[in-house]
Amino acid sequence: MAGLLDLLGSRLDSGAVQQISGRLGTDRNATSTAIQAALPLLVSALARNAGNPDGARQLHDALARDHDGSRLDRLPDPDVDGPEGNAILQHVLGDRRGVAEQGIAKASGLDMAKVGPLLAMLAPVVLGALGKARSERGLGPADLSA
């Protein structure tokens, strides 16, 4: 999953941050800081889930089926991101979601009520970036667990 944060950083540029901030009704700087805290957390959670063969296979199958990377061309897409993002978050964070949201709120100053929707917007984007890397590099399940 090396290089994933760089790809995400390049796609979530100041224009995307401004759009996300506007959608959430939040301060742009706090939103940017929250995104910077959230991305490594989401990537780490995905890596943890892919740390065993079954988890890696499930992630690979989900990427092949639903996340080809085209999502990166539509940032943000709140009409899709909320429901899809919440499902992804349930899978990768489970009962740790509340703790993750609290940590991001504390680190960024973003209101707790806005952190959940932000994570729901970001989760499909992270999977889109990983799906793009999977298809471009021909990554298999074993590569995702590394």
Side-chain angles (χ1 to χ4, degrees), residues 2-3 8 32 39-40 50 53-54 86-88 90 98 100 103 127-129 136 140-141:
L8 288 163
S32 179
L39 292 177
D54 287 337
N86 283 319
I88 293 166
Q90 178 58 39
L127 281 180
E136 287 179 351

Side-chain angles (χ1 to χ4, degrees), residues 8-143:
L8 288 163
S10 70
R11 294 301 179 112
L12 290 165
D13 61 11
S14 61
V17 171
Q18 185 64 39
Q19 287 181 345
I20 292 168
S21 179
R23 278 290 202 183
L24 293 172
T26 57
D27 175 74
R28 186 187 173 293
N29 290 330
T31 303
S32 179
T33 302
I35 290 170
Q36 291 171 16
L39 292 177
L41 180 137
L42 292 171
V43 170
S44 174
L46 284 168
R48 184 177 49 253
N49 285 358
N52 66 63
D54 287 337
R57 166 72 51 204
Q58 289 175 359
L59 177 58
H60 180 270
D61 292 349
L63 294 174
R65 183 181 58 247
D66 299 323
H67 303 284
D68 63 1
S70 62
R71 177 67 192 80
L72 295 174
D73 298 328
R74 300 179 319 275
L75 296 175
D77 191 354
D79 297 330
V80 173
D81 295 342
E84 180 185 7
N86 283 319
I88 293 166
L89 293 170
Q90 178 58 39
H91 186 75
V92 299
L93 295 176
D95 60 0
R96 297 180 306 269
R97 182 175 177 173
V99 173
E101 289 177 2
Q102 289 173 353
I104 292 168
K106 185 176 180 180
S108 66
L110 198 66
D111 185 281
M112 268 293 288
K114 304 295 183 172
V115 174
L118 174 65
L119 286 175
M121 281 186 209
L122 294 176
V125 175
V126 171
L127 281 180
L130 188 54
K132 181 178 180 73
R134 184 201 66 83
S135 63
E136 287 179 351
R137 298 179 195 156
L139 303 177
D143 301 308

